[in-house]
Amino acid sequence: MTWNDLLQPNLIISGSVLNLTPAIIQQYRLQGLVLDVDETLVPLRVGLASPELQDWVEQVRSSTQLCLVSNNLSESRIGGIARSLNLPYYLGAAKPSRRKIRAALTGMNLPAEQVGMVGDRLFTDVLAGNRLGMFTILVDPIIHPDVALRSHPVRNFEVWLSEILGATITPKERKVNKT
């Protein structure tokens, strides 16, 4: 696999994960989603799911299995978020390691190609998902209002480096803008 293949998301969603609708999930015939937590579902240092995220999870879970997989080691924070959403979760994933994502796939009893890996980072979420043959979905990070005015240097660097390595950071299929 080339760097372009490893870093290229299958789908880029403009805006947050909340723009990933059940219709989009169904369009790509996904039976499950593995969800990153930090800045994909909640801003850093936030320990509870927003009402909007809780509503989104309820809409999506009616037809799609969901599991949280986080690099974060905080049981109290990640576990609290998972419990507020009533979802299974894995901590300390060390993505792009595939071990905890494989455990999530086993728990869902689904093959990798029927599961979307959803995250805000190329070198962790997209890379790990592509290494497993999952359908990778890149979303914009959810930034805490206290740091919203600062740029996102790590993500900007990842995009720059991935383009140097050959990834175009445009979706293989199409970009989705929620209207």
Side-chain angles (χ1 to χ4, degrees):
M1 237 184 210
T2 66
W3 279 110
N4 181 46
D5 293 331
L6 290 170
L7 296 172
Q8 186 75 50
N10 294 101
L11 181 64
I12 298 174
I13 300 290
S14 294
S16 78
V17 69
L18 302 177
N19 292 342
L20 179 59
T21 64
I24 294 169
I25 295 165
Q26 184 179 13
Q27 175 184 346
Y28 292 100
R29 295 182 174 87
L30 299 174
Q31 301 298 310
L33 295 177
V34 171
L35 303 163
D36 174 53
V37 178
D38 289 329
E39 295 191 338
T40 297
L41 299 181
V42 297
L44 285 174
R45 296 185 213 75
V46 171
L48 293 173
S50 69
E52 296 84 7
L53 179 61
Q54 291 175 346
D55 290 345
W56 179 83
V57 166
E58 288 307 313
Q59 289 176 355
V60 171
R61 89 163 76 232
S62 66
S63 61
T64 309
Q65 294 185 59
L66 302 172
C67 185
L68 308 183
V69 176
S70 178
N71 283 353
N72 196 307
L73 293 170
S74 174
E75 168 61 40
S76 62
R77 183 169 169 276
I78 303 302
I81 293 165
R83 285 186 289 279
S84 74
L85 297 170
N86 193 28
L87 293 176
Y89 65 99
Y90 294 87
L91 302 172
K95 293 174 285 183
S97 171
R98 298 166 286 185
R99 188 169 59 92
K100 300 274 176 107
I101 299 171
R102 278 191 189 115
L105 293 171
T106 299
M108 291 178 177
N109 197 27
L110 292 172
E113 59 272 6
Q114 291 180 7
V115 180
M117 176 68 222
V118 182
D120 67 307
R121 302 276 308 275
L122 293 167
F123 281 80
T124 57
D125 308 311
V126 172
L127 179 57
N130 282 339
R131 289 176 70 207
L132 285 167
M134 298 171 76
F135 186 87
T136 53
I137 303 169
L138 183 68
V139 297
D140 289 336
I142 298 174
I143 308 293
H144 194 282
D146 293 344
V147 295
L149 297 178
R150 287 189 280 178
S151 67
H152 204 278
V154 173
R155 190 168 198 266
N156 294 343
F157 176 75
E158 286 182 349
V159 170
W160 173 78
L161 182 58
S162 64
E163 288 174 345
I164 286 174
L165 294 171
T168 61
I169 311 310
T170 56
K172 290 178 186 171
E173 305 246 349
R174 65 185 181 93
K175 192 168 186 171
V176 175
N177 292 303
K178 189 173 180 181
T179 56

